[in-house]
Structures are given as C-alpha cells and as structure tokens.
Amino acid sequence: SGLFTYDPGFVSTASSKSAITFIDGDEGVLLYRGYPIEQLATRCDFMEVCYLLLNGELPDSTQKNQFVTTVKNHTMLHEQLVKFFGGFRRDAHPMAVMVGVVGALSAFYHEAMDIADAIHREESAFRLIAKLPTITAMAYKYNIGQPFIYPHNDLGYTENFLYMMFATPAEKYVPNPIIARAMDRILILHADHEQNASTSTVRLAGSSGANPFACISAGIACLWGPAHGGANEACLNMLEEIGDISRINEYINRAKDKNDPFRLMGFGHRVYKNFDPRANLMRETCHEVLNELGLHNDRLFKLALELEKIALEDDYFISKKLYPNVDFYSGIVQRALGIPTSMFTSVFAMARTVGWVAQWNEMISDPEQKIGRPRQLYIGTPRRDMPKS
Ligand code: CMC
C-alpha cells in the first residue's frame, strides 16, 4: 500500500525538532547549541559542555560551581544497587552490566517522580550524569575482581572517574593531568550527536512516558552494537587482528569485497560524507597523548595512520565517501590511557548520557510531543480463512 513513506533506516525522515546539536555532514560541521565542536573541545571542560547541552548556554563561574556541586551530590549509588552487580557473571561484557544496572536505577527512582515536572526531570538528569562514571568504573572493577572504589568528591568529574577505575585500597591513584584532559576530551566529543540510533531509541522509549532511567538503559543497549558505539572496541580488535602494516591491503580488499561481510571498523558515517570533525580532534589528541606518554612508536597507532592513508587513497572509499569516524582513533587513545578494550563502549555510554538526557528532556517539554509510532508496509499474506475442521 502506498499510504506511508517507506524509509528503511530513517535515511530521510526527521523524527523530531531539536535545538541541541547541528550537523552538516557535507561540510564536516558539528555544533552543540551553536558552538563548533573544535572550540568546545579546546576551551571547555566536560562539565561546561554538559551544562551547555542541558541548558542551552555556557555557564558563568557561579553557575558552573553550582552545577558541579549538584552533580557531586549524586555520585554515590544506593547500597542495594551496589549489591546488584554481584548477580552478574564476572566475565559478563561490561555493556551487559551497564544495561542492567542503569535500568535498575528505575527501581530506585520511580514512585516519587513525576516526569511532567521540570524539577523532577532535572534531578533525574543530575542523577544519571553523576552516577554513570560510578557505574562504569564498578562494571570494570567487578570484571577484574577488584573491590569497588567509591567516588571521591574532592576530585573533578573526569579525574574521579579515572580514580574509581584505577585506584585500589592498596594503592592511591593520582590522575596524570594529561590523561585526565584527554579523557575529558573523549567525553566532550561523544557527548551528543543529534538523532543517532541510541538517541532515537531513548526518545522513542521515552515518548510513551516511561521511566527515564529505563529509557537510558534502552539507549545503552542500542549503543552497544558494532555499527554504533561498539565500533571503537571492534576497531581496536580489528587493528590487533591486522597486526602488521604488511597485512593492511588484505583487509582493505576484504572491506571492498561484496561477498565478505567484513567492514573497516571506524570508517564511514551515515551523515558525514567529507570528514568527521570529531575524528580530526581525536587524531590530534592521539598524537598528543602518545607523545606525552612516550608512546609515539605505538604499533597500533602507526598501523592506524597507515590504514587511514591507504583507505583515503583508494577509489572504493573515495567513491563511497568513507572517512574515519570518531571511533577510529578513540580506541587507541583509550588504550594509551589504560582503559581496556572491553570498556571502550561503556566510556562512550557514560559520555553520551548527557546527550540522551538533554534530548529526552527536550522531547518531554515539547508541547507537540506524541508517542512515537512508526507505520509499516505490510507484505504478509492477505486475509484468509482457517481451514474447515
Ligand atoms: N567498510 C567498507 N564498506 C563500507 C563501510 C566500511 N566501514 N561503511 C560503509 N561501507 C559501504 C557499504 O558496503 C555500502 O556499499 P554499497 O552502497 O555498495 O552497498 C556503502 O558503503 C554505504 O554503506 P551503508 O551501510 O549503506 O551506510 P549507512 O549510512 O547505513 O552506515 C555505518 C553507516 C557507520 C553504519 C557504516 O559506515 C559502518 O558500518 N561503518 C563501520 C562501523 C563504524 O565505524 N561505526 C561507527 C559510526 S560513528 C560512531 C557511532 O555512531 O557510534
């Protein structure tokens, strides 16, 4: 039937109006609330970017202090939720744990919450932004069998995350400022990206009026896939598998072969058809971090640079406008910071939480908001009668 527009993958459907993030894919432009990502990544910290995404303007120093203090009020998890981790196998993928634990937050914040009330929505936003680093670090500690490290509110947001990841009861951990700055930049670059698959998932789940913590858990589930946030982990695994510069061509040829499902991970984007501005910033951070840490001869970084060069000169990638995306370099940076590969996508989830919450809040506050309810083109059997018995 021709009643509905058929648009698989929503390639040409605007699902919503939004004033948060703007992308011009042909020009490689990304703006948060009008500000270019290049300026935000070099002149702001993640807390300022969170404030901007949620409120529409950058904070002055009083507003920033207040914001940071409120986030700190919410960094702890309910002790019952801490126990929740124990139900998982130790070797569970951290994203599986994140989906479960973040979803379980809805059991703690539900009865007394009214999503029609802006104050309640704001409080949920603070809780989510504050608790995600704690949950992410606990997912890691659980996986490696170390005791949980509780948040330390004397530290900044990003330093606190690194502290919860890497401190042990036996050893203090003082985050290196270069590492903290690089991690902060990773968070800024992943903070929002308009109506990507996970954000659209959060909006769709939230459009029914569902609990926001459960909706964010749905976003985490969607982010996990290798075509979306899981690409950073998949990209690093791919680089490890290639292993040597001499084998790059073999993998490029596989990526071009229509009969081989293999794709070059960290390459291509639905919207960016010229370059991904986040990839440029991430490549720059990668150079900085590896130089500062004395890792400039890093095997995988050299391999990545060479792979990028060869792909960018190849007709297949040129004609299909396939460029490195943010995930191509973020894995190498995270690895240099000591984050294990299996945690890369969880770090992405932690960063994207502010974007999900800002978009959810924008949707709920929109007077035109309706439940999301796509239609379909039915291709099944027409009406028929059951056989006579
Ligand atoms: N390697 C080889 N070929 C590719 C790749 C790739 N990475 N990406 C796209 N193509 C080809 C694809 O086979 C198709 O060819 P054809 O037109 O002959 O069938 C053409 O390029 C267009 O691809 P598509 O799958 O129709 O494009 P899409 O907009 O649906 O998919 C994408 C975008 C990002 C899912 C895809 O490029 C991809 O799978 N990339 C690898 C995974 C990845 O790096 N994802 C991270 C995206 S950025 C961060 C995030 O969103 O989380």
Side-chain angles (χ1 to χ4, degrees):
S1 115
L3 283 177
F4 308 112
T5 311
Y6 178 51
D7 181 15
F10 308 110
V11 175
S12 57
T13 299
S15 63
S16 48
K17 292 182 190 165
S18 181
I20 301 173
T21 290
F22 173 80
I23 302 175
D24 181 336
D26 294 325
E27 298 298 323
V29 170
L30 168 61
L31 313 176
Y32 292 166
R33 299 285 190 183
Y35 293 114
I37 190 67
E38 291 82 1
Q39 293 177 22
L40 294 168
T42 44
R43 292 170 47 193
C44 292
D45 65 25
F46 181 61
M47 282 290 94
E48 289 164 331
V49 169
C50 285
Y51 185 99
L52 173 70
L53 287 169
L54 292 167
N55 300 296
E57 295 298 332
L58 283 165
D60 62 26
S61 61
T62 317
Q63 289 164 328
K64 184 180 170 186
N65 285 340
Q66 226 166 26
F67 184 81
V68 169
T69 306
T70 314
V71 169
K72 284 182 178 178
N73 282 342
H74 293 289
T75 50
M76 295 277 284
L77 299 188
H78 193 292
E79 272 303 301
Q80 282 306 115
L81 192 62
V82 175
K83 291 188 188 142
F84 191 84
F85 283 86
F88 290 95
R89 286 170 55 135
R90 290 268 178 198
D91 61 358
H93 193 284
M95 283 296 276
V97 176
M98 303 271 296
V99 169
V101 178
V102 174
L105 283 171
S106 59
F108 294 82
Y109 308 109
H110 188 69
E111 303 307 331
M113 186 173 49
D114 174 9
I115 60 166
D117 183 334
I119 303 287
H120 286 214
R121 290 201 302 276
E122 192 181 34
E123 190 157 57
S124 303
F126 277 119
R127 286 197 166 116
L128 278 157
I129 292 165
K131 291 182 201 307
L132 257 287
T134 314
I135 293 172
T136 307
M138 284 186 175
Y140 173 55
K141 290 295 196 192
Y142 186 71
N143 184 252
I144 58 170
Q146 285 186 4
F148 295 139
I149 299 294
Y150 283 65
H152 191 331
N153 284 345
D154 286 348
L155 296 169
Y157 186 87
T158 305
E159 289 82 358
N160 185 36
F161 169 64
L162 293 168
Y163 163 80
M164 290 187 286
M165 286 284 289
F166 299 123
T168 68
E171 222 169 319
K172 268 208 314 223
Y173 172 83
V174 183
N176 168 339
I178 294 153
I179 291 189
R181 182 62 203 149
M183 177 51 74
D184 207 68
R185 182 176 274 196
I186 290 176
L187 300 184
I188 293 172
L189 296 184
H190 289 86
D192 193 49
H193 214 225
E194 52 120 302
Q195 306 313 320
N196 57 84
S198 58
T199 303
S200 299
T201 300
V202 170
R203 279 191 180 251
L204 193 57
S207 73
S208 69
N211 179 291
F213 297 90
C215 297
I216 299 302
S217 166
I220 295 174
C222 178
L223 186 75
W224 191 2
H228 192 5
N232 50 18
E233 178 178 342
C235 179
L236 207 95
N237 289 336
M238 175 191 76
L239 292 174
E240 289 279 14
E241 192 185 311
I242 299 176
D244 191 79
I245 289 181
S246 64
R247 297 185 58 199
I248 291 177
N249 278 325
E250 183 192 319
Y251 281 81
I252 295 267
N253 289 336
R254 281 189 62 194
K256 288 154 59 169
D257 181 356
K258 282 284 141 224
N259 298 318
D260 187 334
F262 173 76
R263 286 187 166 199
L264 217 51
M265 285 293 127
F267 257 76
H269 197 274
R270 171 66 61 78
V271 186
Y272 294 120
K273 299 297 176 195
N274 185 347
F275 66 94
D276 177 343
R278 304 168 302 168
N280 287 356
L281 289 157
M282 199 50 89
R283 190 192 302 102
E284 184 186 296
T285 300
C286 205
H287 275 290
E288 279 166 17
V289 165
L290 296 177
N291 277 337
E292 294 282 357
L293 300 179
L295 299 171
H296 37 276
N297 282 324
D298 183 78
R299 188 175 55 90
L300 292 189
F301 184 46
K302 284 191 164 165
L303 188 69
L305 287 173
E306 190 59 24
L307 177 62
E308 180 184 23
K309 190 164 154 272
I310 294 175
L312 292 181
E313 287 166 359
D314 190 289
D315 282 346
Y316 174 91
F317 292 90
I318 295 171
S319 64
K320 296 195 184 300
K321 298 185 187 313
L322 299 170
Y323 298 86
N325 58 53
V326 66
D327 290 327
F328 192 67
Y329 285 104
S330 79
I332 298 175
V333 179
Q334 293 199 52
R335 182 167 154 273
L337 303 187
I339 313 270
T341 314
S342 62
M343 288 299 299
F344 292 175
T345 313
S346 304
V347 169
F348 190 160
M350 178 180 125
R352 183 55 60 84
T353 295
V354 62
W356 290 329
V357 168
Q359 300 265 355
W360 169 80
N361 189 39
E362 184 181 61
M363 175 193 66
I364 301 285
S365 337
D366 182 351
E368 290 175 14
Q369 195 262 326
K370 286 182 179 196
I371 188 168
R373 204 315 183 177
R375 299 307 305 264
Q376 64 170 12
L377 301 186
Y378 178 67
I379 55 163
T381 316
R383 186 200 181 282
R384 55 182 165 166
D385 293 318
M386 289 177 69
K388 296 214 164 58
S389 53

